[in-house]
Amino acid sequence: MKKYPVENLRNIALISHGGAGKTSLAEAVLFDTGVIDRLGKVDEGTATMDFDPEEIRRKVSISTGVASCEWQEHRITLLDAPGYFDFVGEVKAALRVADAALVLVDAVAGVEVGTELVWGFADERNLPRFLVVNKMDRENANFDKAVASARKSFGAKAIPIQLPVGAEASFKGVVDLIQLKAITYPDGNGTKPQEGSIPADLSGKAQELRASLMEAAAENDDDLLTKYLEGEELTEEEIRLGLRKGVLAGKVVPILAAAGTRNIGLQPLLTAVTALLPSPADLGAVKGVNPKNNSEVTRKPEVKEPFSALVFKTMADPFVGRLNLFRVYSGTLKSDSHVYNSSKGRSERIGQLFLPRGKQQEAVEGVSVGDIAAVAKLQETGTGDTLCDESQPAIYEGAKFPAPVYSVAVQPKSKGDEEKISSGLARLTEEDLTFKVEKNASTGQLLISGMGELHLDVITEKLKRKFGVEVTVDTPKVPYKETIRGSVKVEGKHKKQTGGRGQYGHVWLELEPYPDGEFEFVDKIFGGVVPQQYRPAAEKGVREAMQEGILAGYPVTGVRVSLVDGSYHTVDSSEMAFKIAGSLAFKKGALEAKPVILEPIVSVEVLVPDDYMGDVIGDLNKKRGRILGMEPHGSNQMVRALVPQTEMLKYAIDLRSITQGRGTFSMQFDHYEEVPANIAQQIIEEYKKEKGAEK
């Protein structure tokens, strides 16, 4: 692919609510620019960007596809991000390295909840953007309605620069409001657009919208504003100049029309991208931190600057190893060279560099500022790492990924696959930073956590396909604990005669609540009623009994045990006998000391629009939650509460249902509390059933 100056590069993220047609639109762009010679289809599994077997099977994007194309002496790199909530990490990563965004809106549905979410993500990055009303060829497509919903959601800065010619099955092109001409596609496949006069039924509306467009352009340039206020007509070039300034400043969001699957409206869209959206040079220098002294450093988007790049995506493959995708922010990098990973403090050897094109890769000798490229087999480098010149290091901030909100327990279907499952899951965590793996020490379960059911379903399928491990999935066990509320003195005696040397261990223990800690063992023996060498064995017996629990098999905590008396036999006593005696005494005493079950309580923060706050609070109350407070958080409300963990296992699903996907939440462990009696009884009964089934 031809090398272009940085001013002629465009790095564009495609973002939207799921199903708005991003991948189909990207496919049409690649077809029109000659990158591919056949227009693939998502429904047929032939789209360039959706090449993963899971994407083909499910007919949805689950990871960001990257491909570059050339248009009017510019190189445009598209980052086709998923639209479904479960893959929000991919969206965040794509927006971190993009210079602008195309926000797609379904011409039938208008602005949907996912559109609002990705718009907010683009706001976080202050990205210039277009709104593209896609699927204009669908039944009930309505451009005006979609524009109205966009302006209602995003304000008056959203302004059409095109009008559709026709709609639904009769959609055949667009009116360019800057040039005041129609661009139609009489051949029916979108490959040979024809310019002509505006249809008579659209002429009045076009003139009206162009006047608004001219006003919006003039407001972004003092000279243009003076000319406009003096009643002079702005030229096409002046309108573009004013609009471009407005787009780069975030004051104007142009609205365009298209039909990706029928390849209508893509050439005017590409022309608008090159004319109005920024190059890396337009966005200026990027800031980082020098790891040697933590001072701020800046890198201009120029070839002569020291090399620096940010890794924004890592793909794990059991055969190829890591494939890292990165964005170059300054300088140049050659194949078969060395680079410094400033995040890890390690040098890496660079092999062959590639420009990604879906699953295909184009080998290149080198890359430079503004390029989005890929390299395989780096040993230490992962998502979020900065690569740079070792003599002038810098570290850039990576994408901020949300914490996982949904967990399931997994175990291999086949015995002996434990090592393979650990290795496979570790590789998948490198690939996806919204995916976490944890061995729960309390329950012994292997937990995988992500953004939702679909996310974890895809993870388990990848584990099977890439690493050959099938797993069973179950609801995580809640790590309950047990404790005592009363005090008691109890005897434990283990005496056994077998003909030869017998076994004899005898202790008296005092059990009492220990609210300041998990466990304390106090030796109160005076004299030799229990020899010193047997006392640690008695403590060990108590500790082992505590792990098995008393009521429902959960570990016991918050207990002080004092060894106060006992006896021994000069021949038959042993450490094992005193260990058993200690265990017997604790089990007996704990049952007499008013045992109770404790449950983990989590601190929850829920961010929701005002309209849903009442429903969310009502639901948390049903979950035995205690509302701690509410406070404004931008245009939303933050609800804080303490809720039993057992009630929150599927809260990610519940919250989406309650808020139509608009709510988000985070939670972390806070403390343990006593379980209400009726729930404690249920837990005990379930435990007895499980024990009975095991027998």
Side-chain angles (χ1 to χ4, degrees), residues 136 143 163-168 170-173 201-202:
M136 279 301 304
F143 182 79
L163 270 179
V165 178
E168 302 182 345
S170 63
F171 177 59
K172 59 182 180 181
D201 60 327
L202 293 175

Side-chain angles (χ1 to χ4, degrees), residues 200-464:
D201 60 327
L202 293 175
S203 180
K205 187 174 183 180
Q207 291 289 352
E208 181 185 332
L209 287 174
R210 191 175 195 271
S212 299
L213 201 59
M214 198 180 305
E215 181 181 353
E219 288 174 350
N220 297 291
D221 184 280
D222 290 342
D223 293 338
L224 296 181
L225 184 58
T226 300
K227 183 176 180 180
Y228 176 76
L229 291 175
E230 290 175 353
E232 292 186 54
E233 189 91 0
L234 300 187
T235 65
E236 292 178 15
E237 206 53 48
E238 287 172 333
I239 293 174
R240 287 194 188 92
L241 173 64
L243 287 177
R244 190 170 200 274
K245 286 186 174 182
V247 169
L248 267 58
K251 296 178 180 178
V252 175
V253 178
I255 305 177
L256 303 91
T261 53
R262 284 180 56 198
N263 194 17
I264 297 177
L266 278 302
Q267 293 90 346
L269 172 62
L270 290 171
T271 299
V273 164
T274 59
L276 302 179
L277 289 179
S279 73
D282 291 313
L283 301 181
V286 292
K287 295 179 181 179
V289 174
N290 185 331
K292 293 181 179 179
N293 54 24
N294 289 325
S295 62
E296 183 179 275
V297 295
T298 58
R299 293 285 182 267
K300 296 176 182 177
E302 297 175 1
V303 172
K304 64 182 180 182
E305 286 274 285
F307 171 75
S308 66
L310 178 69
V311 176
F312 68 95
K313 182 175 172 61
T314 300
M315 291 185 282
D317 189 279
F319 306 107
V320 178
R322 292 188 187 95
L323 181 69
N324 296 114
L325 274 66
F326 61 93
R327 156 75 189 267
V328 182
Y329 283 99
S330 63
T332 61
L333 179 67
K334 300 290 185 184
S335 294
D336 299 317
S337 62
H338 285 81
V339 73
Y340 183 63
N341 182 329
S342 54
S343 303
K344 301 278 176 61
R346 299 290 295 272
S347 181
E348 292 271 27
R349 184 186 177 279
I350 298 293
Q352 180 65 59
L353 293 168
F354 303 94
L355 294 180
R357 187 185 297 163
K359 68 177 177 181
Q360 304 297 325
Q361 313 284 344
E362 179 184 343
V364 291
E365 293 182 1
V367 293
S368 63
V369 56
D371 286 340
I372 290 178
V375 63
K377 299 182 179 178
L378 298 186
Q379 297 301 308
E380 303 286 341
T381 301
T383 301
D385 288 351
T386 301
L387 303 175
C388 62
D389 183 330
E390 187 170 3
S391 65
Q392 299 190 59
I395 295 179
Y396 296 135
E397 183 181 30
K400 294 181 180 178
F401 296 102
V405 295
Y406 182 75
S407 301
V408 296
V410 295
Q411 60 181 16
K413 282 187 177 179
S414 304
K415 288 185 178 179
D417 275 352
E418 287 79 7
E419 188 174 330
K420 286 170 70 177
I421 191 175
S422 297
S423 172
L425 289 174
R427 297 291 290 276
L428 291 174
T429 58
E430 295 173 2
E431 183 176 300
D432 183 352
L433 296 189
T434 62
F435 171 62
K436 304 294 181 189
V437 180
E438 173 198 9
K439 184 69 176 282
N440 188 293
S442 299
T443 65
Q445 288 184 310
L446 183 63
L447 302 180
I448 61 173
S449 305
M451 303 312 297
E453 281 184 298
L454 178 59
H455 185 195
L456 296 186
D457 191 22
V458 167
I459 289 288
T460 57
E461 287 296 327
K462 280 187 178 181
L463 194 62
K464 176 182 176 182

Side-chain angles (χ1 to χ4, degrees), residues 543-559:
R543 287 184 178 273
E544 288 187 2
M546 288 177 65
Q547 291 305 309
E548 297 174 6
I550 350 156
L551 295 174
Y554 293 103
V556 180
T557 188
V559 177

Side-chain angles (χ1 to χ4, degrees), residues 16-18 83-85 103-106 109-121 149 153-154 609 612 655-664:
S16 76
H17 185 88
Y84 289 90
F85 305 113
V103 183
L104 271 63
V105 174
D106 189 309
V111 172
E112 299 172 86
V113 57
T115 323
E116 296 172 357
L117 288 174
V118 297
W119 189 274
F121 297 156
S149 71
S153 297
F154 310 128
Y612 300 98
L655 184 62
R656 281 184 193 172
S657 175
I658 294 168
T659 66
Q660 299 179 16
R662 289 177 171 84
T664 59

Side-chain angles (χ1 to χ4, degrees), residues 58-91:
R58 297 172 186 272
K59 297 180 173 56
V60 298
S61 298
I62 61 176
S63 63
T64 297
V66 182
S68 298
C69 61
E70 295 169 300
W71 183 256
Q72 296 177 348
E73 292 303 305
H74 288 73
R75 184 165 82 229
I76 301 171
T77 299
L78 300 176
L79 297 107
D80 175 25
Y84 289 90
F85 305 113
D86 290 50
F87 309 110
V88 65
E90 295 283 333
V91 181

